[in-house]
Amino acid sequence: MHLKIIFAAALTLTGSAASVFASDTAGQAVQPTQAASPPWQHGQNNDASDRGFEFTVADADNLADFHGNPDHPALVLYVGGNYFFAMAPLVKAFEEKYPQYKGRLYWETIPPGLLVDQMKAGGTVTVGNMTWTVKPDVYLAGLNAVQKQIDAGFLQMPAVPYVTNDMTIMVAKGNPKHIAGLVDLARPDVTLAMPNPAFEGISRQIEASLKKAGGDQLETTVYETKVKQGTTELTHIHHRQTPLWIMQGRVDAGVTWQSEAVFQEQAGHPISHVAIPATQNTTAIYAAAIVKSAAHAEAARRWLDFIRSEQSLAIFERFGFKRYTPTSP
């Protein structure tokens, strides 16, 4: 029997997400502004004619990070969720370049460590009451994570880097807690959503940045002391939970990739961000590699070529990513 990976916690978030409550500079709730429930892309994965019967119920039945049709796909992408918002335009551009794949891509945008768990489970995943199996052709994550899976024998050489990203502090619009930098995350009056070190790769970069800003004490306070106190909540899928919890008023802030905050702002959500200085920041390099024994090897090679193309890089740049060069950090 295949191991099943349960993501019910990520799909049954507590608190009402039916509407967004913005905050003024005094931190007082004001009138709700717009729907806050994921997926935030309104299901725009394929043409409407390809989606069949629509059944998405916010906060009840909503698969925000599973995209496309798992029935005999022509290309399967396991994508670290840090740029879920860029995938729909990337897939659209890829399908325009290769019309034979139109409507035939399937992709997931959950944390890289959980994607590895799914690979180890033979591609089988369970979300709520539904279980299905889709084996990957390409794995996309941080360069170190990709190289680790090459070394482990899951992926083929080489690892192909394409863009970089920096971190930021995501806060509510207006920054009602007046957070100025990483050291403020230790304040007892600031509640946090922080990626879980067990399976979210960004946590390693966050821990490194916390140490740059305030030494081991700051990292311990944020990731140990405040967790025990209940003022730091660890996420299962930070690119969904951190902005949602901020919009719900459940937490005040969380460290995310800059691109994720840019997307939330572009979407019109009551989210803002506080820049982390370069001396304290940590840059990630995103990379991809083809899975060993990939069922769709030709399509996988075409995706790796496409992800480094001018068209693809221009899409990434809309959200604040930078092009990878051999001299990138």
Side-chain angles (χ1 to χ4, degrees):
M1 178 182 295
H2 289 297
L3 174 67
K4 297 178 181 179
I5 306 170
I6 307 299
F7 294 105
L11 298 174
T12 57
L13 300 177
T14 61
S16 172
S19 59
V20 176
F21 287 86
S23 296
D24 60 22
T25 55
Q28 299 298 315
V30 296
Q31 292 299 312
T33 57
Q34 59 186 326
S37 300
W40 299 318
Q41 297 149 293
H42 314 293
Q44 296 173 352
N45 300 326
N46 301 311
D47 291 337
S49 60
D50 297 330
R51 295 206 294 264
F53 171 64
E54 286 278 352
F55 185 79
T56 302
V57 181
D59 306 319
D61 282 282
N62 182 355
L63 299 179
D65 281 291
F66 300 86
H67 312 259
N69 191 339
D71 185 25
H72 303 297
L75 177 61
V76 177
L77 306 171
Y78 277 19
V79 185
N82 298 322
Y83 57 87
F84 70 90
F85 41 84
M87 282 302 297
L90 287 169
V91 168
K92 181 180 179 182
F94 180 79
E95 291 176 340
E96 289 173 352
K97 184 179 174 105
Y98 300 104
Q100 64 267 40
Y101 299 124
K102 184 172 176 59
R104 301 182 64 202
L105 269 69
Y106 171 91
W107 69 99
E108 301 182 6
T109 52
I110 61 178
L114 298 181
L115 291 171
V116 171
D117 289 343
Q118 187 177 349
M119 282 197 289
K120 292 178 180 178
T124 299
V125 61
T126 294
V127 181
N129 293 317
M130 182 178 176
T131 300
W132 67 98
T133 300
V134 187
K135 296 183 178 180
D137 298 306
V138 183
Y139 175 76
L140 303 99
L143 178 58
N144 290 338
V146 172
Q147 187 59 54
K148 181 178 179 179
Q149 297 312 314
I150 291 175
D151 296 340
F154 284 105
L155 307 177
Q156 304 175 29
M157 293 181 63
V160 177
Y162 43 97
V163 292
T164 66
N165 205 359
D166 296 323
M167 295 188 302
T168 194
I169 304 171
M170 186 181 288
V171 297
K173 186 176 182 179
N175 192 8
K177 289 288 186 175
H178 305 290
I179 295 169
L182 289 172
V183 293
D184 284 338
L185 302 186
R187 283 165 36 193
D189 65 314
V190 174
T191 55
L192 303 173
M194 298 296 285
N196 194 319
F199 41 76
E200 298 200 73
I202 186 177
S203 61
R204 290 188 291 275
Q205 284 95 338
I206 293 173
E207 289 170 343
S209 287
L210 289 170
K211 290 179 180 179
K212 291 177 185 177
D216 290 342
Q217 182 176 356
L218 180 59
E219 189 272 335
T220 299
T221 298
V222 169
Y223 261 112
E224 294 183 25
T225 305
K226 295 190 71 164
V227 170
K228 293 176 182 177
Q229 293 172 343
T231 52
T232 289
E233 291 193 65
L234 298 181
T235 64
H236 283 77
I237 186 163
H238 84 275
H239 59 270
R240 299 291 184 186
Q241 289 174 300
T242 299
L244 182 58
W245 289 355
I246 290 172
M247 288 189 280
Q248 290 174 337
R250 177 170 168 172
V251 301
D252 299 312
V255 181
T256 69
W257 294 114
Q258 175 180 285
S259 57
E260 292 161 1
V262 170
F263 165 73
Q264 294 294 333
E265 293 165 1
Q266 291 178 358
H269 291 163
I271 292 290
S272 186
H273 69 281
V274 177
I276 299 173
T279 55
Q280 299 174 5
N281 217 316
T282 303
T283 299
I285 300 173
Y286 291 83
I290 298 174
V291 178
K292 283 194 175 178
S293 302
H296 312 102
E298 182 179 13
R301 286 191 291 271
R302 287 174 171 172
W303 180 266
L304 289 189
D305 288 339
F306 167 77
I307 203 72
R308 293 173 289 172
S309 69
E310 286 296 318
Q311 190 175 16
S312 171
L313 295 174
I315 291 171
F316 278 111
E317 287 174 338
R318 293 182 205 167
F319 304 102
F321 291 90
K322 297 176 183 176
R323 300 177 182 218
Y324 170 80
T325 64
T327 58
S328 297

